Amino acid sequence: MNRNDFPILTEQVHHRPLVYLDNAATSQKPQAVVDAIVEAYSHWNSNIHRGVHHLSQVATIHHEEARQAVARFIHADSSDEIIFTKGTTDSLNALAFSFGEAFIHEGDEIIVSGVEHHSNIVPWQMLCERKKAVLRHIPLREDLSLDIEAFRGLLGDRTRLVSVAQVSNVLGIINPIEEIIRLAHERHIPVCIDGAQSVPHMQVDVQALDCDFLAFSGHKMYGPTGIGVLYGKREWLNRLPPHEGGGEMIHHVRWSGTTYNDLPYKFEAGTPNFVGSYALHRAIDYMLSVGWPAIEKHERELTEYCESRLGDIDGVRIYAAGQPKAGVVSFNLYAGNQLIHPFDIGTLLDQQGVAVRTGHHCAEPLIDEMQVPGTVRVSFGLYNDKSDVDAFITALRKAQMMLS
Ligand code: PMP
């Protein structure tokens, strides 16, 4: 874990050293990833798959090697099951459209959970509107964990798909997806996992989990923006129609009709982000060079340290404190009974060089249920250390003094 590998961390913000604690929104990039982008455009940029010329072949090899690296990273059975997308949102929209076309009819039900990010709600709502289907959600217990007993009750003859986040982007809670998958599979219902906040922080093994689909984003795992992944079991992907039409996704196009390409290309219309996939490959290499045991231990210790230091401050209310978390701590600060608006805290922290996220974190149904206008969210990456937490706590105490 070498901070020097991340050039942006030496930046100053408002004449203060940057303390970057907004990794759940996007992570910073190691030099190897920045270099990969420069290298691609400087040395081998060329459109892939179609070319017989040298550069096109080099670019194609890099793109397909990246696909294999992603498959190994999440332990997919085959790289054919790895579809490159723009990110988690794109992956979930692609799945919602395609799965909806094939399998959703009037009166069918889809289940998400009460902690979902909008990108694991709205595509399903849009599908339900199109097909006159019904979107249900797993309710939360008092401690904001998912109510698995209630989930059991939601599963029924009309349930066609379950889609849940492995880790909540607001609370950092690790959801019991193993149990969710087991219960759904008992009824032969497929499960999609939103891995946007889990894949960067814990080893995700799609075969061990036995999930049917997994969506995640490159930019939250030290890779570039504009590249993400939709994993799907081959049996499912083969049964789904393409969600977009264009080049690459076809075998033959005739006026009489079109035949579609094999996996994974059937789901990759148009010129793919081959520079992004190459740089994502370097990000994966970087994470693996640090190693999962080190990443998971380090981030767990940081999260616990942060919760314990925050707990020492009068008026701090930490959400889902003490529950198993993956690199996220969400809280609010009160002056007596009066909640100090998270935006005010975020602004005063920013003035001291500390970057955190405030607001509803694109999870309005959860924030409504918590009956707050939003939270302050601190989220860690592998390069953060205790000095970042200490700087944040000092800045928070100062903000508290100024606001009270
Ligand atoms: N799901 C979760 C749980 C997230 O945290 C995010 C990003 N905040 C997304 C989906 C959407 O990811 P992206 O914006 O990269 O598509």
Side-chain angles (χ1 to χ4, degrees):
M1 240 98 49
N2 191 346
R3 283 167 86 93
N4 298 332
D5 292 339
F6 293 81
I8 206 170
L9 297 180
T10 57
E11 287 293 305
Q12 301 246 320
V13 169
H14 305 309
H15 308 293
R16 305 287 189 94
L18 169 66
V19 177
Y20 188 76
L21 296 171
D22 192 19
N23 292 280
T26 199
S27 64
Q28 300 303 347
K29 321 302 170 198
Q31 189 67 51
V33 168
V34 178
D35 288 348
I37 295 167
V38 175
E39 181 208 314
Y41 286 122
S42 309
H43 296 293
W44 52 261
N45 173 55
S46 182
N47 209 335
I48 63 169
H49 290 149
R50 288 174 288 250
V52 289
H53 64 80
H54 176 74
L55 289 192
S56 174
Q57 289 178 7
V58 171
T60 303
I61 289 168
H62 285 316
H63 188 62
E64 294 307 326
E65 282 179 352
R67 197 188 304 279
Q68 287 161 15
V70 170
R72 286 192 300 274
F73 188 65
I74 59 167
H75 195 213
D77 182 45
S78 156
S79 60
D80 290 352
E81 299 178 315
I82 304 300
I83 298 158
F84 282 121
T85 64
K86 289 185 284 185
T88 308
T89 306
D90 194 34
S91 299
L92 292 170
N93 274 281
L95 181 65
F97 185 84
S98 175
F99 191 92
E101 284 305 285
F103 294 113
I104 301 297
H105 301 100
E106 185 169 348
D108 285 345
E109 297 180 6
I110 294 162
I111 301 177
V112 296
S113 90
V115 299
E116 299 307 320
H117 187 279
H118 295 161
S119 62
N120 198 28
I121 300 175
V122 184
W124 305 114
Q125 281 180 329
M126 290 163 70
L127 165 61
C128 287
E129 217 164 279
R130 247 184 359 257
K131 297 280 181 165
K132 299 195 174 60
V134 182
L135 185 64
R136 304 213 176 277
H137 67 272
I138 309 171
L140 307 181
R141 298 196 192 97
E142 191 97 330
D143 66 357
L144 301 175
S145 64
L146 301 188
D147 186 340
I148 296 300
E149 274 316 302
F151 172 59
R152 234 184 252 271
L154 286 178
L155 290 166
D157 292 344
R158 299 306 304 262
T159 313
R160 295 288 172 261
L161 182 89
V162 175
S163 189
V164 287
Q166 187 166 13
V167 170
S168 155
N169 68 305
V170 177
L171 304 165
I173 295 179
I174 303 170
N175 290 322
I177 58 162
E178 292 84 353
E179 203 178 348
I180 289 172
I181 292 168
R182 188 178 55 75
L183 290 170
H185 282 182
E186 277 175 7
R187 289 173 165 268
H188 308 289
I189 298 163
V191 180
C192 169
I193 299 300
D194 175 348
Q197 297 296 342
S198 57
V199 173
H201 301 289
M202 59 177 71
Q203 189 162 17
V204 175
D205 179 330
V206 289
Q207 291 187 75
L209 283 172
D210 199 25
C211 60
D212 301 279
F213 303 98
L214 171 75
F216 56 99
S217 299
H219 71 96
K220 294 183 197 283
M221 49 185 282
Y222 316 105
T225 47
I227 185 95
V229 172
L230 174 64
Y231 157 83
K233 279 184 188 163
R234 188 204 309 265
E235 310 84 82
W236 275 113
L237 294 179
N238 274 330
R239 295 168 70 193
L240 297 182
H243 61 298
E244 286 178 338
E248 300 275 352
M249 52 74 74
I250 51 94
H251 262 317
H252 293 291
V253 179
R254 301 282 181 273
W255 292 122
S256 54
T258 289
T259 50
Y260 301 132
N261 207 339
D262 299 326
L263 293 178
Y265 309 110
K266 183 172 84 171
F267 295 102
E268 293 184 355
T271 299
N273 183 358
F274 51 84
V275 175
S277 65
Y278 181 67
L280 177 63
H281 189 173
R282 295 286 86 77
I284 288 174
D285 286 348
Y286 186 88
M287 290 178 77
L288 294 177
S289 74
V290 178
W292 279 119
I295 294 173
E296 290 178 9
K297 178 169 180 286
H298 178 69
E299 293 182 356
R300 189 170 53 246
E301 283 172 2
L302 265 189
T303 308
E304 286 167 8
Y305 180 65
C306 183
E307 282 200 352
S308 109
R309 294 238 34 210
L310 266 177
D312 290 340
I313 300 180
D314 284 344
V316 163
R317 190 171 300 170
I318 304 171
Y319 298 104
Q323 293 192 46
K325 287 184 180 175
V328 173
V329 178
S330 224
F331 71 95
N332 268 313
L333 190 57
Y334 287 78
N337 282 334
Q338 189 75 33
L339 180 141
I340 300 174
H341 201 285
F343 182 77
D344 294 336
I345 305 211
T347 306
L348 289 175
L349 291 178
D350 175 60
Q351 285 170 10
Q352 301 173 77
V354 179
V356 298
R357 185 129 313 223
T358 61
H360 58 55
H361 315 296
C362 295
E364 281 188 307
L366 170 60
I367 293 292
D368 284 350
E369 180 137 354
M370 291 163 70
Q371 297 183 340
V372 289
T375 75
V376 184
R377 182 185 71 185
V378 176
S379 56
F380 300 107
L382 52 75
Y383 38 70
N384 289 120
D385 60 22
K386 285 187 174 173
S387 76
D388 292 322
V389 177
D390 292 341
F392 152 66
I393 294 288
T394 304
L396 182 65
R397 284 189 183 281
K398 200 161 168 192
Q400 186 178 33
M401 260 166 37
M402 292 164 81
L403 287 165
S404 56

